[in-house]
Amino acid sequence: MKFTKKTLPIALLWLVLAGTAVSADVDVDADLMRGVDDTAKSLDSNVAQKDGKAAAADARSLVETFAQVEAHYGAKPETVDAVGFAHHTQDLAAQALKAIEANDFDAAGEAVNQLTRSCKTCHEVYKKD
Amino acid sequence: MSHSSRRDFLGNAGLGLGAAAIGSLGLQLNVASAAELEDPTAPREPHFPAKAKSVIWLHMAGAPSSLDLFDYKPDLIKLAGKPLPDSFAKNLKTATDGGVGNLLATKRTWKQYGETGAWVSDFLPNLSKQVDDIAFLKGCKTEGATHIISSLKLHTAGLVPGRPALGSWVQYALGSANPDLPAFVVLPTGVGAAGGGRGAVIWNSGFLPAAYQGTAFRKGDSPILHLARPEGVIDTEQRDTLDLIASLNEHGAIARTGDTELAARSRSYELAYRMQKSAPEAVDLTKETAATRELYGVGAKETDEFGTALLRARRLVERNVRFIHVISGAPDQSVDSWDAHNNLEKNHGVMSKTVDKPIAGLLADLKSRGLLDSTLVVWTSEFGRTPYGQSGNGRDHNPWGYTSWMAGGGIKPGTYGSTDAIGLRAETGIVDTYDLQATILNRLGLDNRKVTFQYQGRQERPTTVFGDVVKEILA
């Protein structure tokens, strides 16, 4: 296929958009989950130590990751439950973030508790034994 | 099998304590203060009133088959000889060299016992009489399919070495209730170490100060290596030597105020001196009546070693030792451990006979002495065994569903949770190892989320970020 002066910009734009779409879908694999596990532990620790800045960074990271996980499963009709789990966990990370920003570390700790439980609940269904 | 010697104990106590105790004040204990942490044996208050004072942790190393002991599955008998149905095998990732054999029925005779109606096979005729004191957790699950990984998770909440054992966390959180004995004692039994997951790695203190590690008691009259006074040295000579060392250390301490290592080392000399009397006395079964020894099976070939360990455990409970970790091992070379990849009938016949009478005796004895209410007895293993067969007459490792049980110290008897129709996976009342640990800590008056230790910048907890108390079995 040859690109002309007219078609080349359109083709480039398509490539950029396609690249964006690809990068929005993450691989929900063991590596990603290990990262989530580590971030959740870091969040838990930072909340316990009342380190608001570090805790907020962890919570934000989890909100973003679970948004990506939700999008990933949303594209697959056979994993509709996982969308709900990911959405719920994302909500809990957001709750934790809100509490951290309000310097309410007790509420943040409770949200993190709920978040790790949510992780386990999802694993009961989706983590392959 | 490595046993802690007095030398190890002293070295660890002396070197481990001060440095780590003060340097890692992530502690959220109610009354912890720097002064108390200088002495790791100092008793500390729980977070809330405790239901249990001591734990006897019965680790069935090698992993017994729940399907041949507690988890009666008529459907498995009906389906015996057939391949594992797809409906049960969905998403199952088996990591076995032997492959997935056809379903294997139990050959045991089963009955329901007691008012709770708990199912127990005829492998355990004595324990079946104690079921009304037991809460069976039939929906247990874990991770990993190798003994060492799952055993680490069971004991340390980690999948790799380096985290403290639960007994170490208990000692760290509560201190010692008897300054003359270690607060965390390990009683290994059996020959060999087949299967792995039963060495010091499961009772060490990980990143906690070394003083909190489990102290393995040896068989025989002198439970701690090098504890006895050397021949030719009499008590007064030893006392004079220790007094001289103490006075020199006191003199040295004047110029080293705040040197917790020196203070800890001085304390450890005195502890060892006291233990020279207290430890042999604690394990001296000649003070027990013949009837009590018989109750535990002491003196009988099959049960002597495990029964001796459990009778010692009861004596340690009476002396306020917090956490006693008993490890079940093979009584002779006829079997390796509970790890019945083949010839399960023979294996479990031998292993069950080894533990059945002593454990039943322990529960009955604790109860008759009024100690069961304050002693939490826990039976567990690194995982269970599969409903599908291996080698024709054995079973493979099963981390997806198995039975543990708890009795005594604030536990409500009954049956909680279940596996699926063939006993492959936990289906209801799922209890992960983190939950088991959280429940034990709860009965000791500890909130698993409030026991913390700062390590490498993180607040570490006994159950990591997981662990929910199994409220349904709390009395």
Side-chain angles (χ1 to χ4, degrees):
Chain A
M1 181 178 179
K2 278 188 175 181
F3 294 108
T4 65
K5 280 185 182 176
K6 269 189 179 176
T7 57
L8 186 59
I10 296 169
L12 287 173
L13 179 63
W14 183 86
L15 282 172
V16 169
L17 290 174
T20 307
V22 167
S23 65
D25 189 19
V26 293
D27 281 334
V28 178
D29 56 11
D31 282 345
L32 181 118
M33 284 302 159
R34 268 192 288 272
V36 168
D37 181 59
D38 192 57
T39 309
K41 284 177 178 165
S42 175
L43 171 62
D44 182 60
S45 171
N46 287 323
V47 167
Q49 294 181 89
K50 300 185 179 175
D51 182 343
K53 195 174 169 186
D58 288 335
R60 260 185 225 107
S61 167
L62 288 174
V63 170
E64 287 165 16
T65 304
F66 280 106
Q68 290 174 322
V69 172
E70 184 181 349
H72 170 84
Y73 283 120
K76 298 180 179 185
E78 72 276 15
T79 52
V80 65
D81 285 352
V83 176
F85 286 132
H87 187 79
H88 180 56
T89 314
Q90 187 188 340
D91 277 352
L92 291 166
Q95 275 179 38
L97 179 60
K98 196 174 169 186
I100 292 160
E101 287 172 343
N103 276 329
D104 186 350
F105 288 97
D106 287 342
E110 186 47 40
V112 176
N113 269 351
Q114 298 289 337
L115 187 150
T116 55
R117 282 191 194 115
S118 181
C119 288
K120 277 185 77 178
T121 307
C122 185
H123 292 173
E124 297 294 340
V125 182
Y126 286 100
K127 186 177 180 185
K128 289 189 178 177
D129 291 315
Chain B
M1 174 75 50
S2 69
H3 292 289
S4 296
S5 68
R6 184 184 68 147
R7 213 163 282 150
D8 296 333
F9 183 85
L10 295 183
N12 291 327
L15 295 175
L17 308 188
I22 297 301
S24 51
L25 290 173
L27 204 63
Q28 291 184 357
L29 300 169
N30 286 354
V31 296
S33 68
E36 283 167 331
L37 287 170
E38 283 180 30
D39 179 2
T41 62
R44 291 181 276 279
E45 289 296 315
H47 299 124
F48 43 84
K51 294 285 185 179
K53 292 179 187 167
S54 299
V55 175
I56 299 177
W57 173 274
L58 305 173
H59 172 209
M60 301 295 115
S65 166
S66 306
L67 294 164
D68 296 279
L69 300 177
F70 304 116
D71 204 8
Y72 178 50
K73 293 293 175 188
D75 283 3
L76 180 59
I77 297 168
K78 285 182 207 156
L79 293 167
K82 295 184 177 156
L84 178 65
D86 289 344
S87 56
F88 292 99
K90 192 181 173 192
N91 287 337
L92 194 75
K93 191 172 132 194
T94 56
T96 171
D97 292 335
V100 176
N102 289 342
L103 294 173
L104 182 70
T106 178
K107 291 184 167 57
R108 295 290 97 202
T109 302
W110 294 76
K111 266 178 69 180
Q112 286 178 285
Y113 291 89
E115 289 180 15
T116 56
W119 286 101
V120 184
S121 87
D122 60 354
F123 266 143
L124 301 170
N126 291 289
L127 191 65
S128 63
K129 295 170 190 158
Q130 307 293 331
V131 294
D132 283 345
D133 287 315
I134 294 175
F136 291 95
L137 302 169
K138 291 198 164 178
C140 289
K141 66 163 288 185
T142 186
E143 290 174 41
T146 64
H147 296 280
I148 183 65
I149 290 175
S150 299
S151 192
L152 281 168
K153 179 168 176 282
L154 174 66
H155 294 95
T156 74
L159 299 175
V160 292
R163 287 186 54 81
L166 187 65
S168 297
W169 282 108
V170 169
Q171 195 182 175
Y172 163 69
L174 294 174
S176 174
N178 181 345
D180 298 344
L181 286 171
F184 176 17
V185 171
V186 186
L187 301 172
T189 68
V191 295
R198 42 177 290 137
V201 72
I202 61 168
W203 69 74
N204 79 23
S205 58
F207 48 70
L208 288 176
Y212 297 120
Q213 72 179 306
T215 299
F217 273 22
R218 306 159 74 221
K219 297 160 194 170
D221 297 337
S222 182
I224 300 175
L225 203 59
H226 307 308
L227 183 71
R229 190 182 306 118
E231 276 184 38
V233 178
I234 61 171
D235 183 51
T236 50
E237 286 175 320
Q238 187 186 19
R239 187 63 261 171
D240 288 346
T241 303
L242 289 173
D243 287 344
L244 175 64
I245 292 170
S247 69
L248 290 171
N249 281 339
E250 278 173 30
H251 182 72
I254 294 169
R256 298 177 182 84
T257 51
D259 184 344
T260 56
E261 287 192 21
L262 179 58
R265 175 57 64 98
S266 297
R267 264 196 305 274
S268 68
Y269 287 133
E270 289 303 318
L271 171 61
Y273 179 71
R274 294 195 303 273
M275 279 172 47
Q276 283 180 336
K277 284 183 183 167
S278 58
E281 189 278 334
V283 299
D284 181 4
L285 302 192
T286 61
K287 296 179 179 173
E288 299 291 333
T289 65
T292 301
R293 290 200 297 272
E294 202 282 326
L295 183 66
Y296 285 78
V298 175
K301 182 173 173 283
E302 298 94 346
T303 51
D304 184 67
E305 187 184 2
F306 199 72
T308 297
L310 292 198
L311 187 44
R312 285 178 162 196
R314 192 219 77 210
R315 290 177 63 85
L316 292 169
V317 164
E318 287 175 318
R319 285 155 184 77
N320 299 315
V321 172
R322 300 258 193 225
F323 201 100
I324 302 131
H325 179 170
V326 185
I327 302 173
S328 153
D332 53 43
Q333 302 291 350
S334 66
V335 295
D336 282 340
S337 68
W338 286 98
D339 196 18
H341 289 282
N342 53 50
N343 209 348
L344 185 139
E345 279 293 301
K346 178 192 172 194
N347 175 292
H348 277 34
V350 171
M351 294 304 296
S352 297
K353 200 164 274 184
T354 303
V355 305
D356 174 46
K357 184 171 181 178
I359 295 176
L362 172 72
L363 293 175
D365 195 23
L366 288 171
K367 194 169 185 178
S368 70
R369 291 167 191 265
L371 289 168
L372 190 58
D373 288 343
S374 58
T375 306
L376 187 55
V377 181
V378 183
W379 151 298
T380 190
S381 53
E382 58 268 45
F383 34 62
R385 306 205 79 84
T386 56
Y388 52 82
Q390 193 180 31
S391 317
N393 55 8
R395 299 188 191 276
D396 203 356
H397 304 163
N398 179 0
W400 311 290
Y402 59 99
T403 300
S404 298
W405 59 253
M406 300 170 85
I411 293 295
K412 186 169 60 185
T415 294
Y416 176 70
S418 63
T419 50
D420 59 27
I422 59 170
L424 179 63
R425 295 189 214 229
E427 203 167 63
T428 66
I430 293 172
V431 175
D432 203 323
T433 53
Y434 308 111
D435 308 322
L436 186 73
Q437 293 154 357
T439 306
I440 292 166
L441 292 171
N442 176 280
R443 295 296 76 188
L444 290 167
L446 296 168
D447 181 336
N448 61 302
R449 296 197 60 79
K450 288 186 178 167
V451 179
T452 63
F453 184 86
Q454 190 162 328
Y455 175 65
Q456 292 187 340
R458 281 210 182 153
Q459 292 287 90
E460 295 287 350
R461 296 190 170 96
T463 59
T464 70
V465 295
F466 301 114
D468 288 319
V469 174
V470 186
K471 291 181 181 150
E472 291 82 353
I473 65 163
L474 303 186

